[in-house]
Amino acid sequence: VPAEDRAAEPTAAPTSVPATKAPAPVGGGDATMLDIDVNGDALQFSLSDMSATAGTEVMVNFTNSSGVNSHNWALVENGTKDAVAADGTGAGPTNNWLPVDDSRVIGNTVVLSPGQSDTATFTAPAAGTYQFVCTFPGHNFTMFGDFIVN
């Protein structure tokens, strides 16, 4: 039985877990839950940056506590927020102001009326810096932030 104890030790010892978690094993895994809101009626998110670990399931709970403005939350490839928003304007409100089937969009919520909430669920992409943005026409210029994947 001492051999069994030794075999179990690495998974139980906190020092054996690296600072950045390995991809989740098949059949189980970690999920990152993140919450974000808006700054009242200003065209700003409540956070300027968010982060997650590559390969993990991410759930971003977005609450639109604005009393007057509709907003969405979208995670996009770095440097593409304005282009995605412009293309989203062309896609229109029935597509939540987002281009349809666009590879630059990693995850998103629907457009939320004042007081509504929605959750964007996606797998965190490869390590790097991405952007989150509201693509409601005109909002992308002040409603954005960095999404850092470790």
Side-chain angles (χ1 to χ4, degrees):
V1 249
E4 287 176 24
D5 289 342
R6 282 196 302 276
E9 202 172 295
T11 56
T15 54
S16 70
V17 178
T20 54
K21 293 184 177 182
V26 175
D30 297 323
T32 301
M33 306 279 278
L34 302 169
D35 294 308
I36 190 167
D37 199 336
V38 294
N39 281 337
D41 293 333
L43 298 181
Q44 298 176 326
F45 285 112
S46 61
L47 300 173
S48 60
D49 59 77
M50 304 172 83
S51 64
T53 301
T56 60
E57 181 181 28
V58 179
M59 297 169 74
V60 174
N61 302 310
F62 174 45
T63 301
N64 179 13
S65 64
S66 170
V68 294
N69 295 307
S70 293
H71 298 296
N72 67 357
W73 182 95
L75 179 64
V76 299
E77 293 287 340
N78 196 29
T80 67
K81 73 174 182 68
D82 294 335
V84 168
D87 293 345
T89 298
T94 56
N95 293 308
N96 295 296
W97 301 111
L98 283 164
V100 179
D101 296 326
D102 192 309
S103 64
R104 298 170 297 179
V105 179
I106 298 160
N108 64 278
T109 66
V110 296
V111 171
L112 303 173
S113 296
Q116 292 184 320
S117 295
D118 190 27
T119 301
T121 302
F122 54 94
T123 300
T129 301
Y130 299 82
Q131 294 173 304
F132 59 88
V133 61
C134 173
T135 61
F136 192 95
H139 294 192
N140 57 296
F141 300 110
T142 56
M143 287 192 76
F144 64 91
D146 287 334
F147 193 97
I148 293 115
V149 179
N150 303 307

